[in-house]
Amino acid sequence: MITATRLTTAGATVTVLSNAPEVTAWSLRYFGQWWNAESVDPTTVGAESVVLADLDPAAYEETTRLLHDGRPTRDTEFAKYPLLTARDGEDIIATSPGEGVAYRSASSGQRVVLAGTDVQALALAAARLAREAIRGRLLREGWAVLHSSAVVRPEDGATLLTFGGKGAGKTTTALLLASHGWQLLANDRVLVRPTGERDVEVVPWPSAAALGLGLLHSLGWDDKARAHLRSGGSFHPTQHESVTEALLAGDHTPLWENARRERKVQVFPDQFPALFGVPLASSGRAAGLLFPQVDADAAPGITDGTRTLGQADFMSGKTEDRYPDVFGQAKGVDGGGRASARAEVAARLTELPHRAVRLSHDTVASAEILAKVALTI
């Protein structure tokens, strides 16, 4: 039996179809409210973009044979997995041996067919390709991608965008505000587009949120996470086993991989409202920019330092190497948006209020400062 999940945001639509209900159920859950995901009758699917993802080991093997029949191939990496790609007529074909997933993309980019050997790997791959289809469409229509967290004021759609490098406090800022009357739009990146004469429209980029064990504890969410696990629940499958073990043991000491990368709790978007009581938003209008910095030993407060946006604040160029446009869905548009779109967004955001804030591990005091700052925007 074929099932279907349709995703829609900012006028862009893509439908995921599969002979494995787990695949479309995954997209329904993963994109949820953020991209208005809904189950639909597969017979109603028309001319919109389609990701057809079937559990079909024979088709996977067939594509793999084609890629090894002597035709020119190219090695690349997509979502951290090695990917072998080639041309078959006008189609792009590819295989990801590490996932057991093969791909065929029509030249139009409107239809991508996946064949998988493992249902969970197939579900993840289908969701990634559906997200790339939406992004490709929006990039072609003048949107850009910002490296920013975002929260929305429910009364009027005013949106605060938070910028900063790794560890600056983008996620912390968004979650503290979302726990105090705002709605969470995104924890790491957003899609933006200039609208009207001065506005910047904002929609989410759905992804699992990575929360450090220390942050989860300081927010008072570790007990809820532990209870969820003990009742048979789980978090995103990319979560490392050691993080699950630490949660169950009540240990919030940060865990490090190769002394550089922190292993974190990987939270599904729908778990924010369901487990932690954090409401989600599906769109907004940029109203102000926040530039936090976390200093564990200092008192939270408003600081004098501000900065302007730079290329590093857009998810473009090398920043997007994790998701190269292998299947031509963006038609050559940079992963962060056209240069003209990025420049116009940056110019409009420059005109909005900018606030620099210092946060600490005292979440109550930090939340009070953020709430005070939010009132000035």
Side-chain angles (χ1 to χ4, degrees):
M1 181 181 71
I2 302 298
T3 57
T5 293
R6 180 171 290 145
L7 319 172
T8 305
T9 186
T13 298
V14 62
T15 301
V16 179
L17 298 101
S18 180
N19 64 358
E22 298 92 337
V23 172
T24 51
W26 181 277
S27 288
L28 183 67
R29 178 186 186 185
Y30 193 80
F31 296 103
Q33 179 185 340
W34 270 342
W35 275 5
N36 305 296
E38 59 175 344
S39 296
V40 296
D41 182 345
T43 63
T44 66
V45 177
E48 73 259 31
S49 294
V50 168
V51 174
L52 176 58
D54 280 348
L55 197 60
D56 190 342
Y60 169 78
E61 294 296 337
E62 174 60 24
T63 302
T64 301
R65 283 194 294 271
L66 286 174
L67 282 156
H68 292 88
D69 67 359
R71 71 185 67 214
T73 60
R74 184 169 66 94
D75 290 306
T76 187
E77 189 175 272
F78 186 79
K80 297 186 177 180
Y81 286 97
L83 193 71
L84 183 66
T85 67
R87 286 277 181 179
D88 187 36
E90 294 187 352
D91 292 356
I92 299 169
I93 58 174
T95 184
S96 174
E99 299 172 283
V101 177
Y103 304 82
R104 178 178 289 273
S105 175
S107 59
S108 67
Q110 286 285 100
R111 181 182 178 87
V112 183
V113 178
L114 284 65
T117 60
D118 174 80
V119 70
Q120 181 169 288
L122 182 63
L124 269 67
R128 284 195 297 265
L129 263 293
R131 190 170 59 187
E132 288 304 298
I134 292 280
R135 179 174 69 157
R137 163 81 179 273
L138 295 184
L139 292 179
R140 299 195 308 270
E141 293 181 352
W143 291 74
V145 186
L146 283 175
H147 188 199
S148 164
S149 67
V151 291
V152 174
R153 188 163 55 203
E155 305 93 84
D156 57 4
T159 302
L160 296 181
L161 301 169
T162 302
F163 297 88
K166 186 177 181 179
K170 294 189 300 297
T171 298
T172 299
T173 297
L175 295 181
L176 286 175
L177 285 169
S179 299
H180 291 78
W182 293 69
Q183 297 172 331
L184 181 65
L185 186 74
N187 68 288
D188 184 62
R189 67 182 78 180
V190 291
L191 287 145
V192 290
R193 177 179 66 173
T195 57
E197 294 184 0
R198 300 177 59 186
D199 287 344
V200 175
E201 184 180 358
V202 189
V203 297
W205 172 265
S207 65
L211 309 185
L213 289 165
L215 174 59
L216 202 74
H217 175 71
S218 65
L219 289 168
W221 293 356
D222 48 343
D223 287 342
K224 296 175 182 177
R226 186 160 46 254
H228 174 65
L229 291 172
R230 287 177 175 170
S231 66
S234 63
F235 290 99
H236 195 277
T238 55
Q239 180 170 300
H240 196 273
E241 221 174 80
S242 62
V243 175
T244 303
E245 292 170 356
L247 278 174
L248 288 170
D251 184 358
H252 55 269
T253 306
L255 297 171
W256 298 93
E257 183 176 333
N258 301 324
R260 296 191 310 272
R261 182 183 178 89
E262 186 179 356
R263 290 174 175 167
K264 298 183 177 182
V265 181
Q266 302 292 326
V267 180
F268 279 101
D270 70 336
Q271 290 177 325
F272 281 113
L275 285 182
F276 306 126
V278 171
L280 304 181
S282 58
S283 65
R285 173 187 48 79
L289 282 62
L290 299 177
F291 298 93
Q293 189 60 53
V294 177
D295 186 336
D297 300 320
I302 302 171
T303 63
D304 294 329
T306 60
R307 68 172 177 83
T308 57
L309 298 186
Q311 286 302 314
D313 295 308
F314 290 87
M315 303 298 285
S316 61
K318 290 184 178 180
T319 311
E320 276 303 295
D321 279 352
R322 186 178 177 186
Y323 301 106
D325 189 22
V326 176
F327 301 105
Q329 291 164 311
K331 303 298 182 186
V333 179
D334 182 273
R338 291 190 177 93
S340 57
R342 298 199 304 269
E344 182 61 23
V345 166
R348 294 189 182 199
L349 293 182
T350 297
E351 299 300 316
L352 299 178
H354 290 43
R355 301 288 186 271
V357 293
R358 182 176 57 246
L359 308 178
S360 74
H361 290 172
D362 183 342
T363 56
V364 174
S366 295
E368 289 177 353
I369 286 297
L370 289 170
K372 179 179 179 181
V373 169
L375 288 175
T376 70
I377 294 178

